[in-house]
């Protein structure tokens, strides 16, 4: 018997009953692993830490797991996880429901500022969609555009066509549905009433009817017995009176159910107190069995230290984001004061004059209220006064700003700018703390990776170093992760087939940085003839090496030109070739010609240029396994020889994020160690190497 990998509609009905008892728990954080496993960390008043996993890939499940069984937190939260954290941090879990009798669960979260729904589609390709209070899709793991329904950011979420719900009909409706069939009882229950094979057989057994009895030979007695068995099953599911069982065959886990099944009576089983605990044990046992078959290894002891450091970094990074938001808010308030200078000055003068005449704060507040009733703009802007502080609060540009009437507009704005500066100082301190914690984390990871490397070194049957050079990484069941973040990774980058570093700007700010900070003597400046191309710099030497003039190989120049063209508007516009040119650093200037203007990220290039006409676009995304493990991308000639495996892409119909998810799935199919792909080549990391605009694999 093949082990169960997807939860049935009956399983989900049982889960809804159990998960409903967690209502009121607060969400702490969300994690995304790869593009199919979502982890929601909650705090329950009675139970403490609660970990909810939702998986929508090859395995489809949703259940609470023991904290000891949660996967290690990803090193860098992808955009989907960040979005969830922003929307759900501190939100109350309000409950879960099943869409009809379909394999779709909706998780409701409530927060004072906004409510959020997470829809988990546990059928077909699987999907997770996040909806706002108006059921509009904020984001989703997979974009769906079908004639029957659309699931895409910005669109109103559409549930799949609802299947027949056998628990929502009366006896006559049940019998009428059965009579419509032209097959036997068990197949009718499985397909027409949507119970699936296992529960269709179980209902026949419980009802005491012949499974293969043809519908035309069945009568009211059989239909009535099956309906009553269905009612008893529905009562079990809604009451929560479960006796969960984890079934084994030949000592291997093969199924898990919310109550004992007569159809599984010939299998050995273990009982559990709750269905969600049984599911947790089942999937852990299933993973362990597969690891043992594939030569999996025990986790090192120091993983707890790594997870703790990652938690600290996440807390520090959250603090940095808060500081950034706070500083931006204070600066925006100050700028609003200047933008409405006359209005603010009138308010301050009015309060100051009234106070000088001995008018009390309550009278001042009453006067502003009267003025607001008469439509006086200055009065309408005042939202309140604070007598104890001697301040007045105004609402400008949607922001509440507290003002000191003893000072003028400039002094009040200056106070806000100083507060922003103070917060920036706290942010810089937090950034230093993050850097120190990251160093500690990297040291721990190096020791872990070394442990794994040493353990495998004499290895899998005593391979020598010479033999290890020819490792087939695609078939290895366990690949140690070895990463060392480089200074240039914030830019677009690749190494040419001759091992020269190529850097490209992702935006105007990075274009400025590349020319001002990183373009040195001996380097080469590349750009496309078409507008909308990134600044591309071919480095002659590393940052710590003395600059020098060298003759670049022709292959490196051609690959750099292809890099510049591929990551430009040429690709975004769906074209397959474009022109690029090359210049030396002394030809590049930020000073425009007389009467001209250079926008941010733009530069003037003077003198003769070397042109690369009709350069074909082309990008390959690959995964390298030694000496480091990472995803890389760039011109195919530079990537394919260096990568363990790679996929070539060209301009196409799939948006950047969707294309990244397609490549991620393909890489997971190529590697035996799918967890390795999840760690080093998640969709977010792949997307960093894809050109802006639509893409597709070359074979498509």
């Amino acid at each position: 018997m093949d082990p169960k990998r997807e939860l049935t509609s009956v399983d989900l009905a049982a889960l809804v009953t159990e998960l409903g008892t967690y209502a009121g728990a607060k969400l702490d954080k969300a994690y995304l692993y790869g593009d199919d496993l979502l982890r929601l960390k909650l705090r329950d008043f009675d139970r403490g830490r609660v970990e909810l996993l939702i998986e929508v890939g090859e395995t489809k499940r949703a259940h609470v797991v023991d904290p000891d069984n949660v996967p290690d937190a990803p090193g860098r939260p992808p955009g989907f996880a960040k979005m969830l954290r922003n929307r759900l941090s501190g939100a109350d879990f309000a409950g879960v429901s099943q869409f009809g009798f379909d394999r779709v669960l909706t998780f409701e979260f409530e927060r004072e500022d906004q409510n959020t729904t997470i829809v988990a589609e546990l059928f077909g390709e699987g999907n997770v969609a996040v909806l706002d209070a108006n059921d509009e899709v904020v984001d989703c793991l997979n974009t769906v555009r079908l004639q029957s329904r659309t699931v895409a950011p910005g669109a109103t979420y559409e549930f799949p066509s609802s299947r027949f719900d056998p628990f929502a009909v009366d006896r006559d409706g049940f019998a009428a549905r059965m009579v419509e069939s032209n097959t036997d009882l068990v197949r009718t229950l499985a397909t027409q009433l949507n119970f699936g094979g296992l529960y269709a057989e179980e209902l026949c057994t419980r009802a005491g009817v012949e499974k293969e009895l043809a519908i035309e030979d069945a009568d009211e007695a059989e239909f009535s017995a099956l309906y009553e068995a269905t009612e008893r099953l529905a009562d079990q599911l809604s009451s929560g009176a479960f006796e969960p069982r984890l079934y084994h065959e030949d000592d291997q886990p093969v199924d898990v159910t919310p109550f004992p099944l007569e159809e599984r009576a010939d299998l050995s089983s273990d009982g559990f107190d709750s269905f969600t605990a049984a599911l947790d044990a089942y999937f852990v046992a299933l993973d362990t069995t597969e690891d043992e078959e594939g030569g999996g290894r025990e986790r090192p002891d120091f993983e707890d230290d790594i997870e703790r450091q990652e938690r600290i970094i996440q807390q520090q990074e959250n603090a940095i984001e808060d500081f950034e938001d706070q500083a931006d808010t204070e600066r925006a308030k100050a700028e609003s004061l200047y933008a409405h200078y006359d209005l603010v000055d009138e308010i301050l003068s009015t309060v100051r004059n009234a106070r000088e005449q001995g008018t009390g704060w309550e009278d001042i507040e009453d006067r502003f209220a009267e003025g607001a009733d008469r439509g006086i703009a200055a009065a309408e802007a005042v939202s309140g006064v604070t007598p104890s502080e001697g301040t007045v609060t105004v609402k400008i540009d949607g922001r509440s700003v507290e003002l000191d009437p003893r000072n003028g507009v400039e002094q009040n704005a200056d106070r806000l700018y100083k507060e922003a500066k103070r917060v920036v100082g706290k942010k810089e301190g937090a950034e230093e703390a993050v850097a120190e914690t990251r160093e500690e984390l990297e040291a721990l990871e190096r020791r872990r990776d070394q442990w794994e490397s040493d353990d495998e070194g004499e290895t899998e049957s005593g391979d020598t170093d010479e033999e290890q050079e020819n490792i087939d990484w695609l078939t290895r069941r366990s690949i140690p992760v070895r990463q060392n973040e480089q200074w240039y990774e914030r830019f677009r980058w690749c190494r040419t087939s001759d091992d020269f570093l190529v850097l490209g700007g992702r935006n105007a700010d990075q274009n400025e940085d590349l020319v001002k900070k990183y373009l040195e003597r001996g380097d080469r400046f590349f750009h496309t003839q078409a507008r909308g191309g990134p600044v591309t710099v071919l480095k002659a030497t590393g940052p710590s090496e003395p600059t020098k003039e060298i003759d670049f190989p022709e292959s490196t120049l051609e690959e750099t030109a292809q890099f510049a063209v591929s990551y430009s508007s040429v690709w975004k516009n769906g074209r397959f070739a474009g022109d690029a040119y090359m210049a030396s650093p002394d030809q590049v200037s930020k000073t425009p010609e007389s009467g001209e203007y250079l926008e941010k990220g733009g530069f003037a290039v003077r003198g003769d240029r070397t042109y690369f006409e009709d350069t074909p676009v082309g990008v390959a995304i690959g995964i390298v396994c030694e000496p480091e493990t990472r995803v890389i991308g760039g011109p195919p000639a530079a990537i394919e020889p260096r990568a363990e495996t790679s996929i070539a892409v060209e301009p196409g119909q799939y948006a950047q994020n969707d294309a990244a998810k397609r490549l991620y799935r393909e890489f997971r199919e190529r590697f035996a160690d799918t967890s390795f792909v999840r760690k080093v080549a998640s969709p977010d990391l792949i997307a960093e190497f894809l050109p802006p605009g639509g893409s597709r694999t070359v074979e498509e």
Side-chain angles (χ1 to χ4, degrees):
M1 180 189 304
D2 291 333
K4 175 181 192 171
R5 291 194 170 278
E6 297 184 2
L7 300 187
T8 67
S9 294
V10 173
D11 294 335
L12 296 186
L15 263 179
V16 165
T17 300
E18 283 199 352
L19 292 179
T21 64
Y22 290 89
K26 284 193 177 295
L27 191 135
D28 279 342
K29 194 168 291 185
Y31 303 85
L32 181 65
Y33 303 80
D35 68 343
D36 58 18
L37 178 59
L38 180 64
R39 169 187 162 199
L40 301 177
K41 182 179 178 182
L42 304 103
R43 286 178 290 109
D44 183 82
F45 181 77
D46 296 318
R47 301 177 178 91
R49 177 181 171 187
V50 176
E51 295 281 1
L52 175 64
L53 290 189
I54 302 172
E55 189 168 9
V56 294
E58 294 178 5
T59 298
K60 295 181 176 65
R61 55 177 174 144
H63 57 92
V64 171
V65 304
D66 188 289
D68 291 338
N69 295 335
V70 298
D72 297 337
R76 182 192 306 180
F80 190 86
K82 289 181 179 178
M83 175 274 297
L84 280 176
R85 294 178 186 184
N86 289 335
R87 292 189 64 88
L88 296 180
S89 180
D92 293 322
F93 174 48
V96 58
S97 60
Q98 182 179 12
F99 176 64
F101 195 57
D102 289 352
R103 287 181 291 162
V104 179
L105 294 181
T106 58
F107 299 85
E108 303 290 344
F109 293 89
E110 297 178 350
R111 203 169 67 178
E112 287 187 2
D113 59 332
Q114 59 188 355
N115 294 340
T116 302
T117 301
I118 296 179
V119 182
E121 300 180 356
L122 302 169
F123 66 92
E125 295 296 320
N127 201 1
V128 172
V130 180
L131 318 182
D132 64 15
N134 298 317
D135 292 333
E136 185 174 295
V137 179
V138 179
D139 201 357
C140 52
L141 293 184
N142 296 305
T143 300
V144 178
R145 297 188 188 277
L146 303 174
Q147 187 173 0
S148 59
R149 63 192 292 252
T150 297
V151 181
T156 299
Y157 178 80
E158 299 176 71
F159 282 97
S161 299
S162 181
R163 302 190 306 161
F164 178 79
D165 185 350
F167 296 142
V169 295
D170 58 16
R171 189 183 299 266
D172 291 340
F174 182 90
R177 185 76 174 185
M178 295 289 292
V179 170
E180 290 176 0
S181 175
N182 59 2
T183 182
D184 55 28
L185 291 178
V186 70
R187 288 183 175 83
T188 300
L189 289 169
T191 59
Q192 301 302 310
L193 277 81
N194 300 316
F195 277 111
L198 175 61
Y199 282 97
E201 293 185 354
E202 180 69 16
L203 286 171
C204 287
T205 301
R206 291 186 179 189
V209 302
E210 182 183 341
K211 298 176 183 177
E212 297 179 358
L213 180 67
I215 288 293
E216 60 264 27
D217 296 331
D219 57 24
E220 185 178 342
E222 281 83 13
F223 294 156
S224 181
L226 286 172
Y227 178 74
E228 290 170 2
T230 300
E231 277 196 317
R232 291 193 297 272
L233 178 62
D235 290 341
Q236 275 186 289
L237 292 171
S238 61
S239 68
F242 304 147
E243 297 177 53
R245 288 289 186 274
L246 192 164
Y247 291 98
H248 303 272
E249 184 177 60
D250 298 328
D251 296 325
Q252 305 298 322
V254 291
D255 201 358
V256 57
T257 61
F259 24 69
L261 300 183
E262 295 185 37
E263 291 300 310
R264 293 282 188 255
D266 59 333
L267 300 177
S268 61
S269 66
D270 299 324
F272 289 83
D273 293 333
S274 68
F275 186 39
T276 193
L279 287 168
D280 183 23
Y282 173 76
F283 285 107
V284 168
L286 188 64
D287 289 343
T288 301
T289 299
E290 292 175 348
D291 284 345
E292 289 173 352
E293 291 174 352
R297 301 170 57 248
E298 185 180 352
R299 289 177 60 194
D301 293 335
F302 43 73
E303 287 296 335
D304 286 343
D305 293 333
I306 290 177
E307 186 175 355
R308 184 175 66 255
Q309 294 299 94
E310 288 174 338
R311 286 198 303 270
I312 292 172
I313 289 173
Q314 188 59 59
Q315 292 167 356
Q316 292 168 332
E317 289 180 338
N318 289 342
I320 290 171
E321 291 180 7
D322 291 341
F323 290 144
E324 289 175 347
D325 292 342
Q326 188 179 347
D328 289 343
T329 298
E330 297 302 315
R331 281 191 289 265
K333 288 179 181 179
E335 290 163 5
S336 291
L337 295 187
Y338 281 116
H340 302 275
Y341 189 99
D342 292 340
L343 178 71
V344 176
D345 185 56
E346 181 181 349
I347 294 170
L348 293 173
S349 299
T350 300
V351 176
R352 189 163 50 248
N353 292 336
R355 291 298 292 160
E356 289 173 354
Q357 295 171 10
T359 306
W361 284 106
E362 291 184 3
D363 290 338
I364 292 174
E365 190 169 21
D366 290 342
R367 290 182 185 179
F368 276 123
E370 292 171 2
D373 291 340
R374 297 200 303 270
I376 299 174
E380 289 177 334
V382 176
S383 58
V385 299
T386 308
S388 60
E389 301 294 330
T391 60
V392 57
T393 302
V394 298
K395 192 86 168 181
I396 301 178
D397 294 336
R399 304 181 184 89
S400 291
V401 186
E402 191 174 59
L403 302 174
D404 185 347
R406 294 169 297 184
N407 299 319
V409 179
E410 294 86 352
Q411 292 89 340
N412 276 282
D414 185 58
R415 172 175 52 81
L416 294 169
Y417 280 126
K418 286 180 179 177
E419 176 61 17
K421 186 175 181 180
R422 185 186 69 82
V423 174
V424 169
K426 293 175 67 175
K427 171 195 157 189
E428 292 171 351
E431 288 174 335
E432 292 176 3
V434 168
E436 292 174 0
T437 309
R438 283 196 181 281
E439 289 179 3
E440 296 173 6
L441 175 61
E442 290 169 2
L444 281 168
E445 290 175 333
R446 283 194 296 271
R447 290 201 295 272
R448 177 198 62 188
D449 295 342
Q450 186 61 49
W451 183 88
E452 292 176 348
S453 179
D454 290 346
D455 190 58
E456 292 173 359
E458 298 180 10
T459 135
E460 298 184 358
S461 62
D463 293 342
T464 65
D465 290 341
E466 185 176 346
E467 291 170 335
Q468 288 288 313
E469 292 177 0
N470 297 316
I471 293 174
D472 182 359
W473 293 106
L474 297 181
T475 61
R476 286 285 290 270
R477 287 288 182 176
S478 178
I479 304 175
V481 176
R482 299 181 296 272
Q483 292 179 319
N484 185 20
E485 192 168 347
Q486 301 293 336
W487 62 271
Y488 48 75
E489 290 184 30
R490 66 188 182 97
F491 300 106
R492 293 195 187 279
W493 68 276
C494 77
R495 287 196 175 275
T496 69
S497 54
D498 303 296
D499 208 32
F500 288 97
L501 179 63
V502 178
L503 302 176
R506 296 183 182 275
N507 50 47
D509 287 332
Q510 289 198 352
N511 285 346
E512 294 271 347
D513 284 349
L514 282 175
V515 171
K516 291 180 178 179
K517 299 179 181 179
Y518 298 100
L519 183 62
E520 301 173 308
R521 184 175 67 89
D523 297 343
R524 295 293 184 270
F525 175 95
F526 281 75
H527 205 280
T528 55
Q529 283 289 87
R531 287 181 57 84
V535 163
T536 301
V537 174
L538 172 60
K539 295 294 295 178
T541 56
S544 59
E545 300 173 351
T547 60
K548 60 181 179 180
E549 293 285 350
I550 64 172
D551 291 328
F552 290 101
E554 192 63 29
S555 55
T556 282
L557 299 179
E558 291 173 354
E559 290 165 16
T560 307
Q562 187 175 45
F563 180 99
V565 170
S566 297
Y567 289 104
S568 73
S569 59
V570 172
W571 186 292
K572 192 172 184 178
N573 293 334
R575 295 159 53 200
F576 285 79
D579 298 336
Y581 64 83
M582 177 180 72
S584 59
D586 56 11
Q587 294 177 256
V588 183
S589 172
K590 186 63 179 172
T591 305
E593 297 288 351
S594 178
E596 293 184 352
Y597 168 76
L598 291 176
E599 60 186 17
K600 188 174 185 179
F603 299 89
V605 180
R606 300 183 175 90
D608 295 336
R609 313 173 186 183
T610 301
Y611 286 90
F612 298 82
E613 297 178 343
D614 240 4
T615 298
V617 299
V619 167
I621 309 297
I623 297 178
V624 294
C625 297
E626 51 185 356
E628 289 186 311
T629 49
R630 65 165 66 245
V631 61
I632 58 175
I639 300 304
E640 291 170 353
R642 184 174 280 111
E644 181 66 27
T645 183
S646 63
I647 303 172
V649 295
E650 63 186 8
Q653 69 272 37
Y654 300 109
Q656 192 177 52
N657 288 336
D658 290 340
K661 292 171 185 175
R662 295 173 70 87
L663 296 183
Y664 169 75
R665 295 192 194 101
E666 175 63 26
F667 282 130
R668 285 194 64 177
E669 291 181 5
R670 295 186 182 187
F671 280 87
D673 185 359
T674 56
S675 64
F676 163 77
V677 179
R678 180 181 291 169
K679 293 173 185 175
V680 305
S682 66
D684 271 27
L685 293 174
I686 291 173
E688 291 182 3
F689 291 93
L690 286 173
S695 299
R696 66 183 180 193
T697 58
V698 171
E699 293 78 11
E700 294 176 323

